[in-house]
Amino acid sequence: MAEYKYLIIGGGVAGTTAAETIRKNNPDASVALVNAEPHRLYSRVMLSKPNIFLGKVPFEQIWLKSQDWYAKNKIDFLSGKRAVSLNTADKTVGLDDEQTLKYDKLLLAIGACARRLPIPGVEKQGIFYVRTLEDGQDMMQAAESAKHAVVVGGSFIGFEMADLLRQKNIDVSMVFNTEHCWEPVLDPASGRLVENILEQGGVKIYGSSEIKEIQGEDGVAKVVLKNGTELPCDMLIFGVGVFCPHEWLKQAGVGLKRGIITNEFLETSAPDVWAAGDVAEYRDLIVESQVILGAWINAQEQGKTAALNMLGQKQPFKKVSFYATHGFGATVACVGDAGPAPDRERVVRAMPEAKAGVQLFVKNGRIVGATTVNRPQDVQTIVKLIEGRVEVGDKLKELSDPKFDLKTLLAK
Amino acid sequence: MPNQTEYLRNREGSEIGKIVVDRDLCISAAACLTVSPETYELDGENKAVVIDPNAADDETLKMSAEACPTKAILLFDKAGKQIYP
């Protein structure tokens, strides 16, 4: 049985950064990196960006590590292998090729999985999820001949894909089951704003709608909504969030909720097991709650923090993450822990004449998250307000006035 | 026409002569500034800008460019030849 001082499951940016950090701090320890996808590190975010999707740059630009990087750094790279079992008492991980690996310290950086909806006809060709390199390549190929695309889901992936497909002159319809798009993260005003941006970009919006059936011979040809509306479709893209069953971790007794539960040091409930990246539902000391976030920089920095803690340090993960998307000439960003919750107030700063809007999520008198539509200039200010845990409880009325400059709160 | 900003570098002993940030490619992931906060910050449009092209050593600068998930940071040698990506 192969034995490793440091075993990392997941070769995305969290796992790879962790391996890199361990190697930098310990030149000799044995490190293995297990990756379910048969690829070295690539930029998952580029799959839905114009440069790659529209072929403006060679596809090879997607790679973020060279083939020989792993060997050069003495990292055993087991790619195309999936972890299927964990025994925290024996400290072993079983892989789908029946190999068993023993670890001293284990990192679970296994990412997230695209949610799949049980719709009749969902097995047909021409249906895509935006997750893996192959998904990206398949969509790029399909977009060469597609005439009518339907995008299911009104948030990030839907927005980016709709923009790319419109740039390919494909007719695009967007279907989502909420009243306005990007719900519940976006408030109704911001949601409508994004819908207007999409509509002006030529996207047909079908809100409060669900697909009843996907029709076609081998490939998808038509989508039928529950209200009977029929949409011609030769390319159907789902961007309806993430869901991972994690049965093998459940059986191993690792504490799970929406993701793998960790404390602020990214330690899981199991001894010598850490989690990082999209899968980690970590204790966020700044917003004082468990947070799960799918964002590149969050994954990268958690990989680093988890690695340092695996090396024996005791560093809490403290970072206000943010991510932005660009499409149809507009920018939408999420900052911190953006989203409503029973213990939060939502403060909306509507700027309709500028086709912009900001909403702030306030918990216990402090901002914990925000979204911005066409207001990139506010993002760093909001990051600082969250980081600095600036008291705003007595200023909610001022905050809702878009003329009130958020920067004045920093000056104090 | 690419929307790029160029920053000339004259740090002694460095093989890098120029840093270029492609503003269209930048998605504000902020990976660059976590690797080298002395080199970059995000500006009023939430895009990466170079605040000091000479602050970091070559290795750090290369790492900061390699960390960008959209390859929005380009590095050139003293002769003007692109060395990354």
Side-chain angles (χ1 to χ4, degrees):
Chain A
M1 188 192 307
E3 282 191 45
Y4 293 97
K5 174 81 180 164
Y6 299 102
L7 176 59
I8 299 163
I9 311 294
V13 66
T16 308
T17 305
E20 195 166 21
T21 306
I22 290 168
R23 182 51 77 227
K24 219 176 270 169
N25 287 274
N26 186 337
D28 303 314
S30 55
V31 179
L33 184 55
V34 176
N35 194 24
E37 287 187 65
H39 304 297
R40 60 193 198 266
L41 180 70
Y42 65 89
S43 174
R44 201 180 296 287
V45 303
M46 274 197 324
L47 293 174
S48 57
K49 296 290 176 287
N51 255 16
I52 288 288
F53 194 88
L54 303 176
K56 292 181 180 176
V57 298
F59 192 77
E60 288 66 45
Q61 289 275 346
I62 202 103
W63 303 113
L64 294 179
K65 291 287 182 217
S66 60
Q67 286 282 21
D68 60 359
W69 180 83
Y70 300 87
K72 264 190 191 159
N73 285 279
K74 293 185 293 167
I75 293 162
D76 278 3
F77 187 45
L78 299 125
S79 79
K81 296 177 201 294
R82 187 175 289 278
V84 291
S85 65
L86 166 64
N87 184 324
T88 57
D90 296 348
K91 299 181 109 174
T92 57
V93 171
L95 305 184
D96 60 356
D97 65 353
E98 297 188 355
Q99 229 185 128
T100 303
L101 308 175
K102 196 161 167 49
Y103 64 84
D104 188 28
K105 313 272 179 194
L106 174 69
L107 176 64
L108 300 169
I110 54 179
C113 345
R115 185 188 294 274
R116 287 165 191 252
L117 302 177
I119 298 169
V122 81
E123 71 295 336
K124 293 192 195 306
Q125 286 166 21
I127 296 176
F128 304 95
Y129 298 85
V130 190
R131 194 69 208 170
T132 66
L133 188 103
E134 285 74 17
D135 293 336
Q137 285 175 316
D138 290 348
M139 280 190 301
M140 284 167 68
Q141 202 189 349
E144 288 307 312
S145 58
K147 301 264 185 296
H148 306 281
V150 174
V151 175
V152 185
S155 60
F156 244 82
I157 286 291
F159 185 76
E160 293 194 343
M161 289 314 304
D163 176 47
L164 295 173
L165 295 169
R166 287 300 300 138
Q167 289 194 52
K168 297 282 289 182
N169 259 330
I170 297 169
D171 166 58
V172 179
S173 301
M174 183 182 279
V175 176
F176 46 85
N177 63 2
T178 48
E179 221 167 278
H180 61 81
C181 82
W182 225 310
E183 203 176 320
V185 173
L186 286 189
D187 59 288
S190 299
R192 302 268 181 249
L193 199 60
V194 174
E195 281 173 28
N196 286 340
I197 292 165
L198 286 160
E199 280 170 337
Q200 277 171 16
V203 178
K204 293 181 207 76
I205 301 282
Y206 297 87
S208 303
S209 299
E210 284 180 64
I211 294 179
K212 184 177 149 207
E213 193 184 1
I214 301 160
Q215 295 181 353
E217 294 289 316
D218 295 336
V220 50
K222 191 197 284 178
V223 162
V224 184
L225 304 183
K226 284 189 175 164
N227 68 3
T229 305
E230 296 188 353
L231 304 173
C233 175
D234 42 25
M235 194 174 176
L236 178 57
I237 297 169
F238 283 96
V240 287
V242 294
F243 173 74
C244 312
H246 298 316
E247 279 306 323
W248 62 290
L249 297 175
K250 214 177 276 174
Q251 280 169 19
V254 176
L256 297 164
K257 216 170 159 189
R258 287 180 296 165
I260 301 172
I261 300 284
T262 80
N263 61 13
E264 65 270 36
F265 304 106
L266 304 176
E267 292 168 309
T268 71
S269 63
D272 292 321
V273 182
W274 284 258
D278 288 8
V279 76
E281 188 174 350
Y282 61 99
R283 181 74 195 162
D284 188 315
L285 295 177
I286 301 169
V287 308
E288 296 176 331
S289 56
Q290 294 294 132
V291 171
I292 186 164
L293 250 179
W296 185 268
I297 192 65
N298 202 57
Q300 179 193 298
E301 292 305 288
Q302 285 194 350
K304 197 163 145 195
T305 301
L308 293 173
N309 290 336
M310 292 165 80
L311 286 157
Q313 298 188 20
K314 202 79 182 168
Q315 289 205 12
F317 177 75
K318 268 180 108 168
K319 176 157 189 69
V320 178
S321 297
F322 51 91
Y323 53 97
T325 184
H326 308 267
F328 303 101
T331 307
V332 184
C334 289
V335 188
D337 190 22
D343 59 354
R344 294 175 185 189
E345 282 177 83
R346 199 200 284 259
V347 179
V348 177
R349 294 164 59 79
M351 308 159 192
E353 62 295 336
K355 294 187 179 167
V358 172
Q359 56 162 349
L360 305 167
F361 294 100
V362 178
K363 178 186 165 186
N364 297 335
R366 297 190 186 106
I367 300 168
V368 294
T371 64
T372 68
V373 179
N374 285 335
R375 285 292 291 181
Q377 62 267 47
D378 285 341
V379 171
Q380 291 311 309
T381 307
I382 296 167
V383 167
K384 286 180 192 136
L385 290 172
I386 300 174
E387 258 169 9
R389 294 164 58 89
V390 174
E391 285 283 352
V392 298
D394 56 348
K395 294 195 184 61
L396 297 188
K397 198 158 172 280
E398 290 100 310
L399 282 180
S400 67
D401 177 2
K403 290 194 201 80
F404 176 81
D405 186 358
L406 295 175
K407 282 204 182 94
T408 57
L409 295 167
L410 286 173
K412 289 205 296 176
Chain B
M1 192 58 193
N3 183 9
Q4 297 181 334
T5 311
E6 297 190 358
Y7 305 91
L8 296 177
R9 172 172 161 100
N10 50 27
R11 184 177 162 121
E12 213 160 296
S14 169
E15 62 159 306
I16 300 165
K18 189 168 73 178
I19 309 165
V20 174
V21 179
D22 189 312
R23 294 177 64 81
D24 287 340
L25 295 186
C26 178
I27 57 161
S28 323
C32 56
L33 55 131
T34 61
V35 174
S36 183
E38 63 280 11
T39 305
Y40 307 93
E41 68 177 18
L42 294 177
D43 69 2
E45 290 175 41
N46 206 31
K47 300 266 185 183
V49 290
V50 173
I51 45 171
D52 184 353
N54 297 313
D57 58 32
D58 282 12
E59 200 201 335
T60 307
L61 210 49
K62 281 180 193 162
M63 275 173 51
S64 70
E66 284 166 9
C68 176
T70 54
K71 297 201 172 170
I73 297 168
L74 294 73
L75 302 177
F76 293 80
D77 69 11
K78 300 274 188 203
K81 190 173 155 254
Q82 187 171 327
I83 50 177
Y84 185 84

